[in-house]
């Protein structure tokens, strides 16, 4: 048999007004931050609230002020170092501003992305920070025109919404990775892409193709495998590449998870990295320096994505306060998984 502990009763605005000897309307003005209350009266109301343990109803306050002091954020996945760093940095900036960040996931489907946005709008967030992969540019332009709160797009550039975007030059990232391998003398360079419905995967592939074209190397579709940005995906894709028996001496994997999965598969086939195959990843996630060999990769400023998107959302919900970096450039980080080409498989 369970015994429920009695809960203390919640104080009301009327009780606060009686203790403070002011009207209920004056208490409401203090709760909602109305500046037309004298300092003495405000102090008396705050003291009464503290004495009674009064907790303002945040939803009612949002209805009264049309501000919830919250920012909503949609990301592709709540797990992993990529989104983890982004969410952490965004939350830090939002908390510095005295607000809270509400985060949910879009789960890489159009229905889930729309549901996530609706969920946040129903909670009357003051702005939306969106990392979306499935919704089209047209959908996002229409969303921006429809909703009553500002939206910020992360890792995505929609020209019509350029002032609302914090993005990365992913085409340049794919180019840098491939150019590095070309400079080492590799000519048969394979590529494992992420899902090509995602704009960042398409852009990285475009950079790969541009580097090959500039080096007068033919693009060979048989050396390109589409995968899913996971280690298991990288392992399976590398196995498929090897099964095609088309010689290659270097591999560009479009994120570090793919690269590490591919590395494991190549090792099971007794292939040396970088002795037999040079390998470049993308993201420079926390484990990249610690795999064997340490992974050469393209670094992207994930934490800055979160920070700048939060600052932009805050700018859009109040007086602009800080300068925003809207477009980032990736950089190549050289480690031990690449070397000069010495032979062809």
């Amino acid at each position: 048999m369970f015994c429920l502990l009695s809960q203390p009763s919640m104080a009301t605005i009327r009780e606060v007004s009686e203790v403070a000897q002011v009207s209920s309307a004056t208490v409401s003005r203090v709760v909602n931050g109305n500046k037309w209350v004298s300092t003495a009266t405000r102090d008396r109301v705050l003291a009464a609230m503290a004495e009674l343990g009064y907790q303002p109803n945040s939803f009612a306050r949002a209805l009264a002020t049309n501000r919830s002091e919250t920012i909503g954020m949609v990301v592709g996945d709540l797990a992993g170092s990529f989104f983890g760093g982004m969410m952490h940095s965004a939350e830090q900036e939002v908390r510095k501003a005295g607000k809270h960040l509400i985060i949910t996931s879009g789960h890489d489907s159009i229905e889930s992305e729309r549901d996530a946005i609706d969920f946040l709008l129903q909670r009357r967030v003051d702005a939306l920070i969106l990392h979306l992969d499935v919704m089209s540019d047209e959908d996002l332009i229409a969303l921006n025109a429809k909703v009553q709160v500002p939206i910020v797009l992360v890792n995505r550039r929609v020209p019509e919404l350029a002032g609302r975007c914090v993005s990365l030059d992913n085409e340049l990232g794919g180019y840098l990775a491939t150019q590095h391998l070309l400079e080492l003398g590799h000519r048969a360079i394979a590529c494992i892409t992420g899902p090509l419905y995602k704009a960042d995967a398409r852009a990285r592939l475009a950079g790969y193709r541009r580097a090959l074209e500039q080096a007068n190397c033919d693009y060979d579709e048989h050396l390109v495998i589409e995968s899913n940005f996971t280690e298991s995906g990288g392992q399976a894709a590398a196995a498929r590449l090897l099964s095609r028996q088309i010689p290659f001496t270097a591999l560009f994997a479009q994120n570090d998870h793919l690269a590490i999965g591919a590395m494991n598969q190549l090792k099971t086939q007794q292939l040396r990295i970088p002795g037999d195959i040079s390998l470049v990843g993308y993201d420079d996630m926390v484990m990249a320096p610690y795999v064997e060999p340490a992974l050469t990769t393209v670094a992207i400023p994930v934490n800055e994505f979160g920070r700048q998107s939060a600052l932009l959302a805050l700018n859009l919900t109040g007086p602009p306060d800080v300068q925003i970096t809207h477009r980032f450039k990736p950089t190549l980080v050289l480690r031990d998984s690449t070397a000069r080409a010495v032979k062809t498989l």
Side-chain angles (χ1 to χ4, degrees), residues 187-205:
R187 290 298 177 267
I189 302 172
C191 179
I192 302 175
T193 79
L196 291 175
Y197 70 84
K198 297 190 175 188
D200 52 357
R202 295 195 303 274
R204 293 169 196 180
L205 180 61

Side-chain angles (χ1 to χ4, degrees), residues 184-232:
L184 291 173
H186 297 279
R187 290 298 177 267
I189 302 172
C191 179
I192 302 175
T193 79
L196 291 175
Y197 70 84
K198 297 190 175 188
D200 52 357
R202 295 195 303 274
R204 293 169 196 180
L205 180 61
Y208 163 83
R209 297 189 67 160
R210 176 164 70 94
L212 291 178
E213 182 180 350
Q214 287 187 1
N216 294 315
C217 290
D218 292 335
Y219 172 79
D220 186 347
E221 65 180 10
H222 297 99
L223 287 178
V224 177
I225 298 277
E226 182 179 358
S227 191
N228 61 5
F229 280 148
T230 66
E231 287 185 32
S232 60

Side-chain angles (χ1 to χ4, degrees), residues 229-262:
F229 280 148
T230 66
E231 287 185 32
S232 60
Q235 191 159 350
R240 287 180 63 196
L241 280 170
L242 294 172
S243 72
R244 292 177 178 180
Q245 298 185 338
I246 300 172
F248 63 95
T249 62
L251 172 61
F252 165 42
Q254 285 195 356
N255 80 351
D256 289 347
H257 287 293
L258 286 171
I260 292 169

Side-chain angles (χ1 to χ4, degrees), residues 273-295:
I273 302 168
D276 296 314
I277 297 178
S278 285
L279 177 62
V280 178
Y282 201 105
D283 286 346
D284 195 25
M285 64 185 192
V286 65
M287 68 181 72
Y290 303 109
V291 295
E292 179 58 40
L295 185 64

